[in-house]
Amino acid sequence: MPETRSTGLLALGGIALAALLTVIGHLEVNDDLNPWALTISDFAVSDRGGVIDVAMVVLALATVALLYGLRRSAPAPSGRAAELLLGAWAGGLLLAAVVPTNDPGTAMTTAAYVHRYASVAAFLALPAAGWLLARRRDLAPAARTLRILVLLSLTLAAAMVWSAYPGDRLLIGLAERLLILVEVAVLAIVALTQARAVVDHGVVVPHRSGVAA
């Protein structure tokens, strides 16, 4: 279906724009902020309503485009659960963008807790969605890559949890950025596979020269 390829391309554009805005947001903040020791949310709160918050909204909208494409492509038994998890990822991103965390080193507020758990829900929902999406026929060329990325994201999530608690936030910023990079790669692989899909008698089928299964 042509709209499936269009939503894949739209999602890829949104992912690329979100990545660019995030880089710009890191360059614009106070030089005293350490990206290896502080999370992206810590950077965003220093420039409330700035480009990092916009990047989160753009990424959520790119996910919505992916969801539309997935619904238009061939159905799968695991499709509904994966769509709900992707919706949870997008919703968590939007909530985290709207509700700020606290400034680094200050006491946690109610808003900061909402921001934290919205982010946690998003980080957990996306790899679960990626694992389910790997079962879909229309994403078969990307199945192996998706599973590898999901396992890597879970490893990085465990490293971030360790850093946040027993690790005394050691390199928590690095762990989070690597985690986000891998999870966004999951979205990009799905979007790329959608964009390269072909149509066979009205049913979307995978492009065989795409990502190896």
Side-chain angles (χ1 to χ4, degrees), residues 1-9 65 68-69 72 194:
M1 297 179 184
E3 60 267 33
T4 301
R5 301 187 69 180
S6 298
T7 54
L9 292 171
Y68 180 78
R72 298 294 297 173
Q194 278 192 355

Side-chain angles (χ1 to χ4, degrees), residues 59-82:
L59 190 57
L61 294 177
T63 304
V64 172
L66 276 185
L67 275 169
Y68 180 78
L70 289 169
R71 288 203 166 194
R72 298 294 297 173
S73 59
S78 56
R80 181 64 63 182

Side-chain angles (χ1 to χ4, degrees), residues 12 15 66 139 141-147 149 182-196 211-212:
L12 282 174
I15 291 167
L66 276 185
L139 296 176
R144 182 180 179 184
T145 303
L146 286 173
R147 292 190 181 103
L149 290 172
V182 172
E183 296 207 347
V184 170
V186 171
L187 294 177
I189 290 295
V190 175
L192 181 61
T193 306
Q194 278 192 355
R196 301 192 69 179
V211 181

Side-chain angles (χ1 to χ4, degrees), residues 46-167:
S46 70
D47 183 28
R48 189 66 200 143
V51 290
I52 291 180
D53 290 325
V54 174
M56 295 168 69
V57 174
V58 170
L59 190 57
L61 294 177
T63 304
V64 172
L66 276 185
L67 275 169
Y68 180 78
L70 289 169
R71 288 203 166 194
R72 298 294 297 173
S73 59
S78 56
R80 181 64 63 182
E83 290 168 7
L84 289 174
L85 287 165
L86 280 177
W89 153 263
L93 278 182
L94 288 174
L95 189 56
V98 171
V99 181
T101 188
N102 56 296
D103 291 316
T106 62
M108 292 285 289
T109 62
T110 300
Y113 278 112
V114 171
H115 178 97
R116 171 183 287 182
Y117 291 115
S119 300
V120 169
F123 284 147
L124 293 178
L126 185 57
W131 192 264
L132 293 176
L133 289 173
R135 302 177 182 177
R136 290 175 59 111
R137 176 174 175 267
D138 53 327
L139 296 176
R144 182 180 179 184
T145 303
L146 286 173
R147 292 190 181 103
I148 291 172
L149 290 172
V150 165
L151 293 175
L152 183 55
S153 70
L154 293 175
T155 302
L156 290 168
M160 190 174 174
V161 170
W162 177 88
S163 177
Y165 296 100

